[in-house]
Amino acid sequence: MKLILLGPPGAGKGTQAQMLMEKFSIPQISTGDILRSAVKNATPMGVKAREYMDAGALVPDDVVVGIVRERLQQADCANGFILDGFPRTVPQADALKDTLSELSLELDAVISLEVDTEALVARLTGRRTCSTCGKGYHVDFDPPSKEGVCDACGGNLVQRDDDREETIRKRLEVYREQTAPLVDYYLRGGLLAEVDGMAGIDEVGRQILSVLGAR
Ligand code: AP5
Ligand code: MG
Ligand code: ZN
């Protein structure tokens, strides 16, 4: 299964990718996670990317295209992958098309998760992530059994640096301007499957699986 999860910040891309990864035993490729790990390790790429991420802006196309190109060539991607948060601009989508054709890989579907703006803000302000294993939670919609502690590994739950309200608004604006055109891009390519992302986490997961089964 070779998939793209498309959707605004907070739509549930990472949440649903965790489910799909287990279901199909394929890797999740989250450019956001890869960039955050580079920031944490203060690599040259991370130092450069940090400024853009803290401002809620997109990291330059050549940087993320390079990351994904390299990742897709690894052996574990041959049977499938979930692209989470990439592509995010038309030039990124064009670059992905070229890379996939060089590797003789073909996408099965682009899942577009649709969620209202106010719900996105509520999801992002309440999001918590395990600092050890990366598992995601929400203080109201998906709480851990013990506040601040990861159910899976006992790690500390933390808030992302870019989940402050003013940065969230900026990220949503960047999505509308630079990423939303990809909905039409993949609709024209016949790959788009729209899923109502406003339902609960499990229900959204069921809808995604049903859309994929229908293909
Ligand atoms: P990235 O990490 O990709 O962030 P994003 O796109 O802003 O998306 P999020 O991770 O915030 O949301 P999500 O859809 O994964 O939601 P989640 O499942 O966590 O990118 C971060 C930054 O990196 C960018 O701003 C940019 O600077 C840079 N970057 C990354 N990729 C790039 C690229 N390709 N090009 C250029 N720059 C790039 O869910 C959110 C919360 O809601 C959680 O708490 C969850 O528990 C909860 N939730 C999920 N589903 C539901 C539901 N159905 N009902 C109720 N609550 C729910
Ligand atoms: Mg995410
Ligand atoms: Zn954990």
Side-chain angles (χ1 to χ4, degrees), residues 26-157:
I26 50 176
Q28 168 197 19
I29 305 175
S30 160
T31 41
D33 287 348
I34 294 168
L35 289 167
R36 274 185 291 281
S37 138
V39 168
K40 201 171 159 188
N41 297 320
T43 67
M45 179 178 80
V47 170
K48 223 169 36 166
R50 181 176 202 146
E51 284 173 43
Y52 296 96
M53 296 172 80
D54 283 350
L58 294 184
V59 172
D61 286 340
D62 57 335
V63 175
V64 282
V65 164
I67 292 175
V68 172
R69 247 185 97 75
E70 207 170 285
R71 185 65 188 87
L72 283 173
Q73 289 175 50
Q74 289 170 28
D76 64 337
C77 292
N79 292 323
F81 49 80
I82 306 149
L83 284 169
D84 161 4
F86 180 94
R88 264 166 134 104
T89 63
V90 171
Q92 289 181 24
D94 286 337
L96 174 66
K97 202 173 177 181
D98 293 344
T99 300
L100 291 175
S101 91
E102 278 165 35
L103 298 171
S104 302
L105 298 172
E106 228 171 288
L107 286 173
D108 293 294
V110 177
I111 307 278
S112 168
L113 293 172
E114 327 236 303
V115 180
D116 301 344
T117 303
E118 286 318 304
L120 294 172
V121 175
R123 286 183 186 187
L124 292 171
T125 49
R127 170 165 55 192
R128 299 292 181 272
T129 311
C130 176
S131 58
T132 307
C133 76
K135 189 170 161 42
Y137 295 88
H138 190 283
V139 292
D140 299 316
F141 310 138
D142 189 15
S145 349
K146 188 167 175 246
E147 199 188 311
V149 181
C150 177
D151 289 342
C153 77
N156 234 355
L157 301 187

